[in-house]
Amino acid sequence: MLGRAPDPIDDAIWQQVAARVAWVAALDPGRAQRLRALASRFLQRKTITPIEPLALDPAQCATLAALCCLPLLEFGPEGLHGWSQLIVYPDAFRVNRSHVDAAGVLHEWDDELIGEAWDGGPLILSWADVEADLDDPYAGFCVAVHEMAHKLDALDGVLDGTPPLPRAWQREWARDFQQAYDGFVAAVDAGREVAVDPYAAEAPEEFFAVCSEYHFSDPALLRVHLPRVARHLERFYGRSPADARAAGA
Ligand SMILES: [Zn+2]
């Protein structure tokens, strides 16, 4: 498999992807071509495992590949490193969590999730939630982008809200994100109304992942409320398809 170029996704399938995914339809031809090549590579490298009773046809698999590759348009195929399986549940899924606290007490609970990205492990998505994102693409949500942001973040070995970047940029990024995160957490803790999903206050890595969703689905909101974060994300991900659409391009 060394360096073998993937078979490109065929025209008929790609047209179905563009018809279903507003973010793909809004890309200029050059970036759309790049995304198609990335998605082809994704389909060659990753196993997509739907959990019964869900079944996925080739266009739906290509749609998932395209969504997962949207955050890689500038970063490139290195963003696919380190994991091999995409697991797709029909709907939100339950996971059992446990944690031993400082007093040695074991806490266990169930979480209902729509997506998850294990370090080095599979990327997990809920198909129902992927479809909800596609039905309402400019509402601020994209679970596939969220989980891929975690995968990019983890590439340098630490899940901390900073993906691998050139050194000088990484310093600026870490400073600006920390400042924005601290301000956001303070606002949420004070019970103030916040424009961005308060889940972003959970941890710096969630802040990065949630803001990544807004970059693709509501970048104007990000520019108003978190302008420095918006600038870094535009540099990291490239121009948002939502802006291309707003400009009529
Ligand atoms: Zn997350």
Side-chain angles (χ1 to χ4, degrees):
M1 297 284 282
L2 256 184
R4 187 170 72 85
D7 296 333
I9 294 170
D10 72 53
D11 287 340
I13 298 281
W14 189 250
Q15 277 162 20
Q16 290 180 63
V17 173
R20 181 68 179 110
V21 187
W23 302 304
V24 174
L27 294 174
D28 62 66
R31 296 181 84 211
Q33 202 46 46
R34 212 149 79 214
L35 185 70
R36 186 170 166 179
L38 286 162
S40 303
R41 193 186 282 238
F42 184 101
L43 291 173
Q44 180 198 39
R45 300 267 182 91
K46 311 290 184 208
T47 311
I48 301 180
T49 309
I51 303 296
E52 285 194 343
L54 180 68
L56 296 168
D57 66 25
Q60 290 168 324
C61 288
T63 295
L64 286 165
L67 286 171
C68 289
C69 291
L70 271 176
L72 308 182
L73 275 168
E74 305 302 315
F75 193 87
E78 302 75 36
L80 293 173
H81 285 179
W83 57 284
S84 59
Q85 196 184 19
L86 168 61
I87 297 174
V88 191
Y89 281 87
D91 211 326
F93 48 96
R94 302 202 73 84
V95 291
N96 185 259
R97 305 280 191 197
S98 64
H99 163 73
V100 179
D101 70 17
V105 178
L106 174 70
H107 300 269
E108 286 192 283
W109 69 99
D110 278 340
D111 258 355
E112 190 168 77
L113 300 179
I114 61 168
E116 188 163 50
W118 290 80
D119 190 13
L123 191 141
I124 310 173
L125 295 172
S126 145
W127 180 247
D129 289 274
V130 168
E131 294 231 273
D133 294 342
L134 296 177
D135 289 342
D136 202 0
Y138 301 113
F141 300 100
C142 182
V143 64
V145 162
H146 181 110
E147 301 309 330
M148 281 301 293
H150 287 321
K151 285 295 188 191
L152 290 170
D153 188 352
L155 281 175
D156 59 6
V158 248
L159 199 62
D160 60 354
T162 309
L165 299 169
R167 223 182 160 73
W169 184 10
Q170 185 152 34
R171 264 199 302 274
E172 275 175 52
W173 175 297
R175 183 199 60 210
D176 291 343
F177 268 76
Q178 188 67 53
Q179 242 169 45
Y181 176 69
D182 290 344
F184 187 73
V185 170
V188 170
D189 286 350
R192 286 204 296 277
E193 190 81 19
V194 284
V196 165
D197 185 348
Y199 182 68
E202 287 277 311
E205 60 269 27
E206 296 306 337
F207 185 72
F208 165 48
V210 168
C211 289
S212 296
E213 295 185 68
Y214 283 95
H215 169 79
F216 287 94
S217 62
D218 195 354
L221 179 140
L222 214 52
R223 281 193 292 270
V224 169
H225 296 278
L226 298 164
R228 285 187 182 186
V229 166
R231 270 201 297 279
H232 283 296
L233 293 180
E234 180 154 343
R235 189 173 163 197
F236 186 64
Y237 292 130
R239 187 192 192 199
S240 172
D243 289 327
R245 162 183 161 268

